[in-house]
Amino acid sequence: MKILANDGLSEEGVTQLENAGFIVIAVKVAQEQLAEYINSKKIQVLLVRSATTVDKELINACKNLKLIGRAGVGLDNIAVEYAESKGIKVINTPLAASDSVAELVFAHLFSGVRSLFDSNRNMPLEGESRFRELKKSYSAGIELRGKTLGIIGFGKIGRKVAKIALGLGMKVIASDKEEGEVNITLEFYNHQNIAIPIKTEPVEELIKHSDFITLHVPAQTEPLIGSKEFEAMKPGVGIINTARGGVIDEVALLDAIEDGKVAFAGLDTFEAEPRPAIKLLMNEKLSLSPHIGASTLEAQHRIGIELAQQIISYFKK
């Protein structure tokens, strides 16, 4: 059985699959050539990340497909219900990248509260000639400890974010599909742990009380955060989006930054990937990364193993 890992797969995952008798082809095939390649090579398993789209057209064109795997949490680039209606199994790796995405949230938060993203632009250019001026301009940072972090979307990644925030001494509030209470358990290096209850509340309440807001939701047909929501936020709020492009109205975000409502934003995902708007790229209040939330060595190792185990279990049962 042939597997196409179109967006790559870790060496550990490839090894597990090959040891189980699968043939793994780890090449990048352009979207417009994908159907022809899958059919000509008689591919039965297609593995993708966010760069490849598996829509109805591709599914209809590839009659040999038996399984589609997503190396990550979200499935918005796969026509899941349609694939399953055709008898094609769809799998993903909901746990493997949670820690990596959560840590990136705090990379952007720490960078934002101390303006490191902007300092790192200006120090190489002017650090030698304007050191004192730069020191003064970047000396109004704030601490995360004691501040309130609002987490919109309290699934696996959102709960990992909560753990880090609680460990830093932040207050955590969350919003999810259902209101209620969730126990977050902090595990320490010496095997001690403590459970902390987090109450969830509607988004419209969360945004009023949060010093910082981070989003962990699937792709949306309409932005969750737009002009109305920005108006309801506390002045000087910080926004982080490592979820999907389009969950924040980017035009409204830039307006809120210009008005001073938003102090900074950290973006890992964009509406117009892979060509983000120039106004975003050039804004000095934005900490930016190119959709790398799950792109750590540890996460890719876990993703490869998790995908391999699911595939082996499905076909060898």
Side-chain angles (χ1 to χ4, degrees):
M1 182 173 289
K2 292 182 180 179
I3 298 173
L4 173 62
N6 201 50
D7 297 327
L9 188 66
S10 71
E11 184 177 339
E12 297 85 357
V14 172
T15 299
Q16 282 200 15
L17 289 167
E18 290 179 341
N19 288 343
F22 295 90
I23 298 171
V24 181
I25 303 171
V27 299
K28 176 62 179 176
V29 181
Q31 185 77 43
E32 61 271 15
Q33 300 169 345
L34 193 53
E36 181 182 351
Y37 187 91
I38 289 172
N39 291 329
S40 65
K41 298 292 184 181
K42 295 183 171 57
I43 301 294
Q44 292 173 289
V45 176
L46 174 62
L47 304 181
V48 302
R49 295 181 190 171
S50 57
T52 301
T53 299
V54 187
D55 54 19
K56 292 181 180 180
E57 183 179 356
L58 182 66
I59 292 168
N60 286 333
C62 302
K63 305 300 182 183
N64 291 325
L65 280 181
K66 299 183 182 300
L67 184 145
I68 300 166
R70 166 74 160 85
V73 180
L75 289 166
D76 44 278
N77 58 322
I78 300 173
V80 177
E81 292 184 5
Y82 189 75
E84 291 177 341
S85 74
K86 297 292 184 180
I88 300 171
K89 176 72 172 177
V90 179
I91 62 174
N92 66 340
T93 55
L95 294 175
S98 299
D99 285 318
S100 296
V101 177
E103 289 189 8
L104 183 64
V105 169
F106 284 90
H108 280 294
L109 274 174
F110 278 118
S111 180
V113 294
R114 301 303 293 270
S115 297
L116 295 182
F117 56 92
D118 196 49
S119 174
N120 283 331
R121 292 171 177 170
N122 290 321
M123 277 295 289
L125 299 174
E126 302 179 291
E128 185 178 9
S129 60
R130 298 183 60 246
F131 188 89
R132 286 188 175 85
E133 292 93 327
L134 292 176
K135 176 181 172 70
K136 183 177 181 180
S137 65
Y138 295 121
S139 292
I142 62 173
E143 298 176 359
L144 294 179
R145 181 176 296 275
K147 306 301 191 302
T148 298
L149 178 66
I151 303 173
I152 299 177
F154 210 43
K156 295 176 177 65
I157 295 174
R159 297 182 191 198
K160 291 285 187 180
V161 170
K163 289 186 177 185
I164 300 175
L166 292 168
L168 287 170
M170 302 184 78
K171 177 183 177 181
V172 174
I173 56 178
S175 180
D176 209 11
K177 295 177 182 177
E178 298 179 3
E179 292 184 44
E181 189 172 274
V182 177
N183 278 332
I184 297 297
T185 302
L186 302 183
E187 302 95 359
F188 299 95
Y189 72 96
N190 58 359
H191 306 296
Q192 293 187 25
N193 59 71
I194 182 172
I196 300 175
I198 304 294
K199 291 184 178 180
T200 60
E201 59 186 43
V203 171
E204 54 266 26
E205 292 300 318
L206 177 146
I207 60 178
K208 296 177 184 177
H209 309 136
S210 300
D211 298 303
F212 308 101
I213 297 169
T214 177
L215 293 101
H216 302 284
V217 295
Q220 307 288 310
T221 55
E222 297 289 338
L224 278 179
I225 304 296
S227 299
K228 178 183 176 183
E229 288 73 26
F230 284 122
E231 288 175 7
M233 292 177 189
K234 297 171 68 172
V237 68
I239 309 285
I240 309 294
N241 181 21
T242 58
R244 287 288 182 268
V247 299
I248 296 177
D249 183 328
E250 292 175 352
V251 173
L253 171 62
L254 291 174
D255 289 341
I257 288 173
E258 186 175 343
D259 293 343
K261 173 67 80 167
V262 174
F264 72 89
L267 303 180
D268 186 53
T269 58
F270 306 86
E271 289 181 13
E273 290 184 31
R275 293 181 175 83
I278 292 296
K279 287 185 177 181
L280 292 175
L281 301 180
M282 300 303 293
N283 193 289
E284 63 182 14
K285 298 293 186 181
L286 292 180
S287 174
L288 306 172
S289 55
H291 205 153
I292 57 170
S295 299
T296 63
L297 297 177
E298 294 87 349
Q300 294 310 309
H301 170 83
R302 292 190 296 265
I303 285 170
I305 290 175
E306 189 175 335
L307 278 176
Q309 290 174 345
Q310 288 188 71
I311 292 167
I312 293 167
S313 175
Y314 182 72
F315 287 109
K316 302 293 184 178
K317 61 186 176 182

